[in-house]
Amino acid sequence: MIIDIDGVEMNYISEGEGDVILIMHGWEANIPAMLPVHNILKDKFKVYTIDFPGFGESPEPPEAWGVYEYADYIKKFIDRLNIDKITLIGHSFGGRISIILANKYPELVDRMVLIDAAGIIPKRSMKYYFKVYSFKFLRKIYNTFFFWMDKDKRMKKFYTKFGSQDYKDASEKMRKILVKVVNEDLKPLLKGIKASTLLIWGRNDTATPVYMGEIMEREIEDSGLVILENAGHFSYIDQYAQFTAVLKSFFKID
């Protein structure tokens, strides 16, 4: 299904009856990526699973949004559906949006599940700073040697060649969004979350390491962390049977 909110379209699916759950995917993902979670819950709840604008079958937003613009859009989506109480499930990037909504609208968000969620600025090692400064030096050299090219074309070619895989795979607008998103530190919002929160993490997650889940557990008052062994950033897929058991326990599903 497609919904138009303020001229921005979003694709979503909806199944089931009862209390409302909204499932939100990670960066570069989409509805099919979250169907393993959706299918656990659809027989007991009213479950909505979305393609964020710019992902899956949803067109890109009109400009380079940050996480707060995405959160505002999702709040309008919830309001359009006349939902007054909701449970949020967010994986990775979807976790960022969940954190903002739970902080801003405690009367709306009843429960929350964060799966390998993003939102904490990573610890910076010397290796990271060496990589960053090397990248900046390389960019300066590239600009010097290719000064004759149009700047926009020159930088597009540079980032396509030397940027991260997520950056390479994204369109120009989504690249700008990615840069905004990864630099947003949501840790200050965690203490303001009142929703009962389940944190599920893969022990071997390298994109959002376990220590980020441990920080969230300390900061969110009513929260508990479950770590799945032999699982990475997509822990809900890597250890699906365990994940299903944990989720069913949280939602009291027999």
Side-chain angles (χ1 to χ4, degrees):
M1 290 180 277
I2 298 290
I3 190 169
D4 185 305
I5 300 172
D6 296 340
V8 181
E9 293 184 341
M10 185 172 72
N11 180 47
Y12 73 96
I13 61 172
S14 173
E15 291 186 274
E17 299 294 336
D19 294 342
V20 179
I21 296 175
L22 174 61
I23 300 175
M24 295 177 281
H25 62 77
W27 189 265
E28 279 200 317
N30 50 25
I31 288 172
M34 301 309 296
L35 284 180
V37 183
H38 179 101
N39 290 335
I40 297 169
L41 303 167
K42 66 181 182 180
D43 293 332
K44 296 291 184 179
F45 302 95
K46 180 73 170 179
V47 184
Y48 292 89
T49 300
I50 66 167
D51 281 335
F52 282 116
F55 300 87
E57 296 182 25
S58 297
E60 293 180 359
E63 56 191 27
W65 285 0
V67 286
Y68 287 94
E69 286 84 0
Y70 271 101
D72 288 344
Y73 182 88
I74 297 304
K75 176 58 165 57
K76 291 177 181 178
F77 171 71
I78 294 169
D79 291 344
R80 178 75 66 85
L81 298 173
N82 296 314
I83 298 167
D84 56 15
K85 192 68 70 174
I86 197 166
T87 295
L88 302 177
I89 299 180
H91 173 248
S92 193
F93 172 67
R96 293 180 187 269
I97 310 308
S98 300
I99 288 168
I100 294 171
L101 291 173
N103 174 276
K104 290 182 69 174
Y105 308 103
E107 73 291 344
L108 172 67
V109 181
D110 185 37
R111 293 174 296 187
M112 182 164 63
V113 181
L114 299 179
I115 309 166
D116 300 282
I120 304 291
I121 295 293
K123 297 173 182 176
R124 305 304 195 189
S125 64
M126 288 303 295
K127 182 179 179 181
Y128 167 82
Y129 287 111
F130 176 78
K131 186 177 179 180
V132 168
Y133 288 123
S134 296
F135 184 81
K136 288 181 177 179
F137 178 72
L138 188 61
R139 184 174 60 192
K140 185 176 181 180
I141 294 296
Y142 196 88
N143 276 322
T144 300
F145 277 91
F146 294 93
F147 66 91
W148 46 269
M149 291 178 63
D150 174 78
K151 184 179 179 181
D152 288 341
K153 290 182 180 178
R154 182 170 72 235
M155 296 318 299
K156 182 178 181 180
K157 187 174 181 180
F158 173 79
Y159 284 116
T160 299
K161 188 174 180 65
F162 298 107
S164 69
Q165 193 59 49
D166 279 347
Y167 194 92
K168 291 177 183 177
D169 292 342
S171 68
E172 186 173 352
K173 187 185 295 179
M174 297 307 292
R175 288 172 181 172
K176 291 178 181 178
I177 289 174
L178 177 61
V179 170
K180 281 188 175 183
V181 165
V182 299
N183 287 301
E184 290 278 8
D185 183 12
L186 303 183
K187 183 181 176 182
L189 303 184
L190 299 175
K191 282 192 180 296
I193 292 174
K194 305 303 179 186
S196 180
T197 302
L198 170 63
L199 304 159
I200 303 178
W201 239 264
R203 173 72 73 185
N204 303 325
D205 188 344
T206 56
T208 54
V210 168
Y211 76 82
M212 294 183 178
E214 293 170 342
I215 291 172
M216 291 184 187
E217 184 184 30
R218 289 197 300 269
E219 296 292 311
I220 300 173
E221 183 178 358
D222 183 11
S223 66
L225 173 63
V226 176
I227 299 174
L228 303 181
E229 301 297 333
N230 301 311
H233 190 54
F234 288 82
S235 60
Y236 67 95
I237 294 174
D238 295 339
Q239 292 292 347
Y240 188 62
Q242 266 188 289
F243 174 84
T244 300
V246 170
L247 201 66
K248 285 186 173 182
S249 176
F250 182 70
F251 286 107
K252 297 180 172 57
I253 300 174
D254 297 331

